[in-house]
Amino acid sequence: FNRIANTTIDIGAVEVQPTGTSTTTTLSPNLNPSLYGQAVTFTATVTPTAGGPATGTVSFRLGTQVLETVSLNGLGVATFTTNSLDVGTNVLTAVYNPTGSFTTSTSAAVNQVVNARTTSIALSVPSTTVSGNIPINI
C-alpha cells in the first residue's frame, strides 16, 4: 500500500544492521632507530570501541609485503621480532584481521630507521727480535 506523507509517497523505514564493533590498531617498535642486523620487536595493540578484547590476527607489513601474521593474545596484543630490515627508512604497518563481530583496522605507518653499523679495522705487526751482526750496505 502507498503511505502518503506531506502529499508524497513515503518509501518506508530503512533498517541498517550493525557491521561490527570498530577497532583501532597501534604499532610501536621497542627501539627506533636501530642498527643493521639488530633485532627490533614491534608491538601491535588492537583496541575495540566496545566489548573486547579483540580476537583474530595481525599482519605486520613492510610496505605491501606481509612479513608475518601473528595471533592476538588475550589482551588484544601481538608482537613480531625481526633483524632483517634494510639500512634506511623502513615503513611498517599492522593490519588487524578480525574474528567475531570486530572490524578490521590498520595502524598508522611507523618509519623504522635502520642505521649502518660502523666498522673499524685494527692491524698489528708481530714484534721480531734480531740478534747478531746485520750487514748494512752503504
Side-chain angles (χ1 to χ4, degrees):
F1 70 93
N2 291 334
R3 294 183 345 170
I4 306 297
N6 297 328
T7 68
T8 59
I9 297 175
D10 182 9
I11 63 169
V14 176
E15 292 184 24
V16 176
Q17 297 297 322
T19 58
T21 302
S22 63
T23 61
T24 301
T25 300
T26 58
L27 178 64
S28 58
N30 68 326
L31 66 130
N32 192 3
S34 59
L35 295 174
Y36 179 74
Q38 186 174 23
V40 179
T41 299
F42 294 91
T43 301
T45 303
V46 180
T47 306
T49 56
T55 57
T57 62
V58 171
S59 295
F60 293 89
R61 299 172 67 109
L62 175 61
T64 59
Q65 175 189 4
V66 175
L67 298 176
E68 188 78 26
T69 298
V70 179
S71 293
L72 289 169
N73 66 14
L75 301 174
V77 175
T79 59
F80 165 66
T81 302
T82 183
N83 63 353
S84 61
L85 297 175
D86 291 332
V87 170
T89 301
N90 296 267
V91 180
L92 289 100
T93 55
V95 178
Y96 170 50
N97 312 301
T99 59
S101 63
F102 300 109
T103 61
T104 190
S105 58
T106 301
S107 71
V110 170
N111 293 323
Q112 178 66 36
V113 176
V114 178
N115 293 321
R117 291 187 178 266
T118 57
T119 58
S120 61
I121 299 174
L123 298 175
S124 62
V125 178
S127 61
T128 57
T129 306
V130 178
S131 59
N133 294 327
I134 301 175
I136 299 177
N137 296 328
I138 302 182

